[in-house]
Amino acid sequence: MSGENRKDIRPGLEVDIVLKKDQRSGQLTRGVVKDLLTKSPTHPHGIKVRLEDGQVGRVKNIHS
């Protein structure tokens, strides 16, 4: 599942995000969602989240 819809993402979910510094390479970072930072219901590049370890990026994949 992609991370473009805010309703699909909630704290505690394991996700893959792309960090700002990795946007060119597309390298993904896996972690657990702590906070949702995007307020709009959808975003074409992925909903921005903060992981439990403090890293911030846009959600690319959601793991169930």
Side-chain angles (χ1 to χ4, degrees):
M1 191 172 356
S2 75
E4 294 177 9
N5 295 312
R6 194 174 193 275
K7 65 178 175 52
D8 296 336
I9 303 166
R10 62 186 181 282
L13 275 183
E14 187 178 26
V15 296
D16 290 333
I17 65 169
V18 63
L19 303 172
K20 184 76 171 176
K21 69 180 179 69
D22 295 331
Q23 283 180 344
R24 284 182 176 270
S25 68
Q27 179 180 340
L28 298 177
T29 303
R30 186 168 292 187
V32 178
V33 176
K34 180 179 180 184
D35 302 309
L36 280 74
L37 304 178
T38 299
K39 299 294 184 213
S40 65
T42 64
H43 192 284
H45 301 295
I47 300 298
K48 189 178 280 187
V49 298
R50 178 180 296 115
L51 300 181
E52 288 183 342
D53 63 5
Q55 298 185 94
V56 174
R58 295 198 181 272
V59 176
K60 295 300 176 188
N61 299 309
I62 301 171
H63 303 279
S64 46

